[in-house]
Each structure stands twice: as structure tokens, then as C-alpha cells.
Amino acid sequence: MNERPWPLGAATAIGSLPGTDPVEAASIVFGELPEFPCLPELPARGVGADLIGRTAALLVDLAVEVVPSGYRVAARPGHDHRRAVDLMSWDLDAVQEAREKAGAAPPVFKAQVAGPWTLAANVELQRGHRILTDRGALRDFTSSLLDGLAGHVAELKSRVGAPVVLQFDEPSLPAVLAGDLPTASGYGTVSAVPAPEARELLSTVIAGAERITGQPVAVHCCAEKPPISLLRAAGAKAIAFDFTLLKGASPAQLDEIGEALDSGTTLMLGLVPTADPGVPVALRDLVTPVFKLVDRLGFRREILAERVVPTPACGLAGATPEWMRRALTLSREAGKAFLEPPEGW
């Protein structure tokens, strides 16, 4: 397995973008992030275009439908499931078209899906309880997801002509660990999942994804305090999180980051605001805090080009088209600044 299939100084995006046109979105991603493009997600298209719907569309022998409370396991594939499958098919066509217009294949391509705990936290069983409350159902969905990813990755590789890195999005993981998810009745919360149990399932999925892709696996968590040590222990070779939330971080949090860098883990640092802040944004202001962090942790600055991939702070679905392009440009320029820091920075 190639421990770092992306070039030094490369940047990427988290996944979601504004708008509803997959052809335009794919063209922008290949143009702005030529060294590490990703499969665009366009949740503004509605049901089936969001993270959970897209991931559920990949499941093998399992289907979901939309009910008033969200996604629920269905007895058989229906309209909602077919819509999600169709949306993904259009996205793959758009990516192939963008790749052909770009000419040469990129060094690597990234695709995003919901991680096992986020999927299990946001899909209900037919009786209304979350999948994560039923260990048998959790195993079935995990196995189905890996089966679906095998076909998804194979198709992406054939269309893009590049190695595929999978990114598991786990925005619900902190709530799963803390026991903060409401029950079906709304009067209580689902019991917290012990960290060793959460780590074991993640480890199973990450190892399975590595076997499918032959590439390192990334896990993204946009929480204020992402469980970096748990993700690293589960086998994630790259961890994506919102760097802008680290202001005032505790020494323990900083130690986790230092240990991750020291172990060879790649950090996908969310540096660029997800929406136009209304004031000019200078590249130097975005990257200087990262230089200061590695200085404080005692690392040489060259480590940034080797083990840091700049990204927007999170998904860009809520951005204006103008800011989305600017955010991707700034991410790419941040990667080059890490590779060749301007004098005086």
C-alpha cells in the first residue's frame, strides 16, 4: 500500500459543494484541485444527494426509504433508493467527462461515504430505533457497505484512471461516543457506545476499505474535539478535521496532533472558511497558525508538505459559487506554501 499516494503539497476538498449541476461541479474540482480531486457531493439536489442517502445507495441487498423522521430501512428498493442510485450514476458520468477534458489522469482521486457509526446513527430500523442499537443490524450494514464499496471503487478507478482513496465521514461519532443521540420516542438518549467498541468497528471498516483500494483510508470528523487518538488507533492513515476550531485547544488535544504527526499519520487540515467571511482572506493568515503549531510541537516545517493536506474547514454546500471557487483556490495555494514556504513566513 502506498502510504501517501497524493503528491507533496497537494490539497483536496471535504466533498460537498453548492449547486445542482454535477458536470459543472466535477469540472471545477478537476480544475482547482488537479493533484487530488474528489467526487463532488451536491446535497442541494435533495433526497438521495446527501451523505446518508448517497452512502445508502451503495449498500448491497439492503435498501432505505425516506420517512418523516429521516431514513429508514425498507423491505425492498423503492423510489427513494432508486433516486439516490441515479444521482450517483450521474455524478460518475460527470466525473468521467471532467477527467477526459482534463487530459491526463490525476495522481489520485478521493471519494467520500458515511462512516459506519454515522450511517448507523442516521438510519432507522423498521420499528423506529437507530441501527446502532441492534448489533446484528450493525454488522449486516457494515458488511453490506464494504460489499458496495468494492463495486463503487472499481467503477471509479475505471472511469478516472487513478488510484482511489476512500474518506469515511463521521460527523455523528462524537454523539455516539457521548450518548447524545435521542431515542425513537425523543424522551431519552441512546446509550453511549464504549470507545473500544467504536474503535473495533471502525478498524474493521478501515481495514476492509484498504483491501478494496490498496490505498490509505481517511476519516473526517468536523466536531469541535475530533477523537484523533481513537481514529488513529482504528487504523486511519489520514484524519481530516476543522483546524480553525483549535483556537484555545487544550494541551491534551495538541498532544494528540503531535502524536499523530509523529506516527506518520496525514492530517487533512481544514484551513479555509466554508462561507465568505465578508472580508479579504489572505493566504498568509490561513497558513501562519499551522507553521506556529508545528514550531510549538517541535517539528521541522518540512513535515507540513509531507503529512499535511490543506482543505476547506468542512463541506462547502452552503457557500456561494464564487466563494467555493475561492476556497478551493486557497486550499491549493496553502499546499504549495507548505511545500515552498515564502520567505519570512
Side-chain angles (χ1 to χ4, degrees):
M1 182 178 68
N2 187 346
E3 292 188 1
R4 194 196 68 247
W6 45 85
L8 292 175
T12 192
I14 294 301
S16 67
L17 299 176
T20 59
D21 185 344
V23 173
E24 181 182 19
S27 176
I28 290 170
V29 166
F30 272 80
E32 296 290 344
L33 303 170
E35 294 182 322
F36 201 175
C38 65
L39 181 61
E41 303 167 3
L42 303 175
R45 292 180 295 179
V47 171
D50 58 293
L51 176 64
I52 301 301
R54 291 170 65 82
T55 304
L58 301 176
L59 297 173
V60 174
D61 297 328
L62 289 171
V64 302
E65 61 184 353
V66 177
V67 297
S69 55
Y71 284 100
R72 179 173 291 181
V73 176
R76 62 187 61 84
H79 171 76
D80 297 328
H81 187 88
R82 289 193 296 272
R83 172 178 165 79
V85 171
D86 287 344
L87 288 172
M88 180 66 78
S89 178
W90 297 337
D91 289 349
L92 296 179
D93 289 344
V95 162
Q96 182 175 353
E97 180 179 330
R99 161 23 196 127
E100 291 170 353
K101 288 183 177 178
V108 64
F109 185 80
K110 180 168 70 69
Q112 309 80 220
V113 295
W117 288 111
T118 291
L119 183 66
N122 289 279
V123 178
E124 301 174 352
L125 298 166
Q126 290 183 331
R127 60 182 181 273
H129 299 291
R130 300 175 192 270
I131 287 172
L132 63 82
T133 64
D134 185 316
R135 294 298 178 261
L138 185 60
R139 287 193 299 271
D140 290 344
F141 264 73
T142 299
S143 176
S144 177
L145 177 59
L146 287 173
D147 288 345
L149 285 174
H152 185 53
V153 169
E155 183 163 10
L156 276 171
K157 289 173 68 175
S158 69
R159 288 173 177 259
V160 180
V164 173
V165 167
L166 284 174
Q167 171 187 302
F168 289 104
D169 286 329
E170 283 286 11
S172 298
L173 179 57
V176 169
L177 294 168
D180 288 338
L181 295 169
T183 57
S185 68
Y187 293 110
T189 56
V190 177
S191 298
V193 173
E197 185 177 335
R199 183 179 63 245
E200 182 180 2
L201 181 66
L202 278 168
S203 181
T204 297
V205 172
I206 289 170
E210 285 184 346
R211 287 193 296 271
I212 290 168
T213 64
Q215 305 298 330
V217 169
V219 180
H220 169 239
C221 183
C222 51
E224 186 173 349
K225 296 181 180 179
I228 293 174
S229 293
L230 185 151
L231 298 178
R232 186 163 62 86
K237 300 298 191 301
I239 300 174
F241 60 93
D242 185 347
F243 182 79
T244 66
L245 296 178
L246 283 183
K247 295 175 182 177
S250 67
Q253 284 180 280
L254 297 180
D255 285 345
E256 281 190 279
I257 294 173
E259 290 167 2
L261 286 172
D262 195 46
S263 70
T265 303
T266 291
L267 300 182
M268 294 181 170
L269 296 186
L271 304 179
V272 185
T274 57
D276 189 343
V279 296
V281 177
L283 177 63
R284 183 170 184 171
D285 293 336
L286 298 178
V287 301
T288 296
V290 188
F291 287 131
K292 290 182 177 179
L293 176 63
V294 295
D295 292 343
R296 178 178 177 182
L297 293 174
F299 292 102
R300 54 189 176 83
R301 288 190 172 186
E302 288 80 2
I303 201 171
L304 293 175
E306 299 169 3
R307 298 181 192 165
V308 170
V309 175
T311 72
C314 201
L316 294 169
T320 63
E322 295 76 18
W323 180 254
M324 177 264 292
R325 286 179 179 271
R326 177 64 175 152
L328 297 183
T329 298
L330 285 168
S331 297
R332 185 183 71 248
E333 291 175 348
K336 299 313 173 189
F338 291 156
L339 183 61
E340 297 182 11
E343 188 174 350
W345 287 25

